[in-house]
Amino acid sequence: VEATPGVKLAKVDVDSNDRIPQALRVNAIPAVFAFYKGEVIANFVGVPSESDILSWVENVAQPEKILSSQKD
């Protein structure tokens, strides 16, 4: 994924760090989560198409937009 302002990617080894997937209730991998101010605002499980991933990253780069749509 190309650099998107405001988005940082991190990988977690779920075998070595079992508390993180337990806390997020991960049932399958890959599981991808977007956080804003410490809260999950979006996620997906599985392997979507590259265009779907790029669209998802663009959306999570605008957390206020996601949060306002969740209130509706």
Side-chain angles (χ1 to χ4, degrees):
V1 175
E2 294 180 22
T4 301
V7 176
K8 295 180 184 177
L9 298 177
K11 181 179 178 180
V12 174
D13 179 350
V14 297
D15 295 322
S16 298
N17 301 289
D18 62 343
R19 284 197 260 159
I20 294 170
Q22 286 175 359
L24 295 172
R25 298 184 178 142
V26 173
N27 294 320
I29 50 176
V32 180
F33 294 84
F35 294 87
Y36 179 68
K37 296 184 178 180
E39 299 293 325
V40 175
I41 59 168
N43 69 298
F44 67 83
V45 176
V47 184
S49 69
E50 182 177 352
S51 63
D52 287 344
I53 293 171
L54 293 174
S55 176
W56 188 84
V57 170
E58 288 176 12
N59 286 333
V60 299
Q62 303 172 44
E64 292 84 8
K65 183 178 175 183
I66 293 171
L67 294 171
S68 67
S69 70
Q70 290 176 348
K71 291 179 183 177
D72 296 339

